[in-house]
Amino acid sequence: ALRSKAAVMAVVDLIARKMPEFQRQEEQHMRLEAARALRLQLVAPPPGTPPPWWVEAEIGHKDRGTERRRLVDVLLHVLRHVGDDLSCRTRVAALRSLQCLVFMSPECRTHVVL
């Protein structure tokens, strides 16, 4: 499944691995497509479907914290180091991904604010 933990973390790993090139403003199209892929993977599911893997299973239960923090950190890093390349599309994709995380997960919201 494209929204599985493995698929999302594969995109996060790609962004983390390519971050030095992205910081030098190289491979802008790859950065854009990776940010878009995350945005599509993190979109809130329709009502009545199970919550995504990164949403807390129950109030107060904080599992998968490392992966959630890493996901937020990678998106924040993309935002910090993206220029005005490609008509700001990379920035928009990263902001929409963060919006989905913050909207659905109090843990992600806390980590973004800190």
Side-chain angles (χ1 to χ4, degrees):
L2 292 176
R3 292 184 178 193
S4 69
K5 179 180 174 181
V8 172
M9 294 313 290
V11 176
V12 169
D13 290 340
L14 170 77
I15 293 172
R17 191 173 59 249
K18 292 290 191 174
M19 197 56 71
E21 288 93 346
F22 294 162
Q23 289 175 344
R24 292 189 304 265
Q25 303 302 316
E26 298 172 2
E27 303 201 40
Q28 294 179 8
H29 289 294
M30 181 182 290
R31 178 176 52 195
L32 171 63
E33 294 307 322
R36 284 180 171 173
L38 274 180
R39 179 182 54 86
L40 292 174
Q41 290 172 318
L42 298 175
V43 167
T49 58
W53 64 267
W54 43 268
V55 174
E56 296 80 20
E58 53 190 69
I59 300 297
H61 189 257
K62 299 179 182 180
D63 59 346
R64 297 179 293 274
T66 303
E67 291 91 357
R68 276 195 303 264
R69 281 190 298 278
R70 187 158 179 243
L71 182 55
V72 170
D73 287 341
V74 163
L75 287 167
L76 289 174
H77 201 278
V78 166
L79 281 174
R80 269 187 236 116
H81 296 288
V82 69
D84 291 332
D85 64 323
L86 305 172
S87 304
C88 297
R89 290 181 283 178
T90 305
R91 183 171 300 172
V92 170
L95 284 170
R96 292 289 292 155
S97 296
L98 280 171
Q99 180 186 28
C100 292
L101 288 170
V102 166
F103 176 72
M104 295 198 58
S105 170
E107 282 297 309
C108 290
R109 186 175 318 121
T110 300
H111 190 64
V112 168
V113 172
L114 295 177

